[in-house]
Amino acid sequence: MMTDQTILSALRAEDDAGLREVYLKYRIPCQRFLLGRVISRQQGNREELAVELFTESLIILVENVRSGRLSELSARLDTYLNAVSHNLYRKLLRRNRVEYRDPEQLPPPLVEVSDPPDPEAVRQELYGQLKKLGERCRQLLVHFYFLELDWETTAEVLGYKNADSAKNNKAKCMKRLRTLYGVLNANNKP
């Protein structure tokens, strides 16, 4: 079995053994990565797409090695192939994205708004929901959103261990607030 560096040398020398080794060694793991972590489960023809993405990433690998753009790896070869195939998938999604240029092409709104909400009513509703969160969450959200304090200052003022701890607690508080507004249900599903 060849090492990653030996494979690169073989590819550079246009030795078919290097290409064969990459294909046999990394095809199945890369396709598993794509199917398990990258390609959406709603995507049709997932298996065929995984094969196609791996093949394209293999072609890119060979082209990059032979052109001199890739002479040494900063990570393992399978990591490189996974990253290339992941980027190819994202590029495919961007290319297939529906873009609306004419306002008449836009889909209908999910909710019809008859009258704009009264800002004071919205503010009072928010204050009411913040009170339901409890004092600690209310203080954290007020310091961050309304007083616009940075994380270090917020952590210091409210007695958190560090800025990361304050950030984590803010995320939990926001999740609870979204649940109160009905944006999330109790099972964390929007």
Side-chain angles (χ1 to χ4, degrees):
M1 206 169 247
M2 301 170 97
T3 66
D4 288 351
Q5 200 57 44
T6 310
I7 290 171
L8 289 182
S9 298
L11 291 174
R12 200 172 298 110
E14 299 185 21
D15 181 358
D16 288 341
L19 185 58
R20 189 171 26 263
E21 182 76 16
V22 172
Y23 183 81
L24 293 174
K25 191 173 180 181
Y26 297 119
R27 178 180 57 90
I28 291 174
C30 185
Q31 289 173 354
R32 281 187 187 143
F33 167 77
L34 290 167
L35 291 170
R37 296 187 178 181
V38 177
I39 300 174
S40 168
R41 298 210 187 282
Q42 287 77 32
Q43 175 83 37
N45 66 353
R46 294 179 73 234
E47 289 78 16
E48 295 85 8
L49 183 57
V51 170
E52 183 180 320
L53 290 170
F54 172 74
T55 305
E56 285 184 50
S57 66
L58 191 57
I59 292 168
I60 290 171
L61 168 69
V62 171
E63 288 174 350
N64 286 342
V65 168
R66 290 186 180 163
S67 70
R69 284 190 300 254
L70 179 64
S71 55
E72 284 189 39
L73 292 169
S74 58
R76 295 186 336 232
L77 188 54
D78 62 333
T79 304
Y80 177 84
L81 289 167
N82 287 345
V84 170
S85 58
H86 188 205
N87 287 337
L88 288 170
Y89 180 68
R90 290 194 340 225
K91 191 176 188 179
L92 175 72
L93 291 179
R94 280 193 303 271
R95 199 171 44 233
N96 292 339
R97 183 176 56 213
V98 176
E99 294 198 20
Y100 301 101
R101 305 210 186 281
D102 183 5
E104 292 181 13
Q105 292 178 322
L106 290 172
L110 296 175
V111 177
E112 290 291 329
V113 178
S114 55
D115 293 321
D118 175 35
E120 185 57 34
V122 171
R123 188 175 299 111
Q124 291 303 318
E125 172 71 16
L126 177 61
Y127 290 149
Q129 298 297 6
L130 285 172
K131 285 180 183 177
K132 290 179 187 176
L133 287 179
E135 188 64 22
R136 190 85 168 143
C137 273
R138 186 187 63 74
Q139 285 181 347
L140 181 59
L141 295 177
V142 166
H143 278 76
F144 182 72
Y145 287 109
F146 298 109
L147 300 177
E148 298 179 353
L149 297 178
D150 60 54
W151 285 116
E152 288 76 21
T153 307
T154 301
E156 186 179 322
V157 168
L158 296 178
Y160 287 99
K161 188 165 95 175
N162 54 37
D164 288 334
S165 178
K167 284 181 197 177
N168 289 336
N169 279 294
K170 183 218 132 224
K172 291 175 187 175
C173 292
M174 285 302 298
K175 187 175 181 181
R176 288 176 48 207
L177 184 61
R178 287 185 190 102
T179 303
L180 288 173
Y181 270 103
V183 177
L184 291 177
N185 66 22
N187 297 326
N188 301 331
K189 294 181 182 173

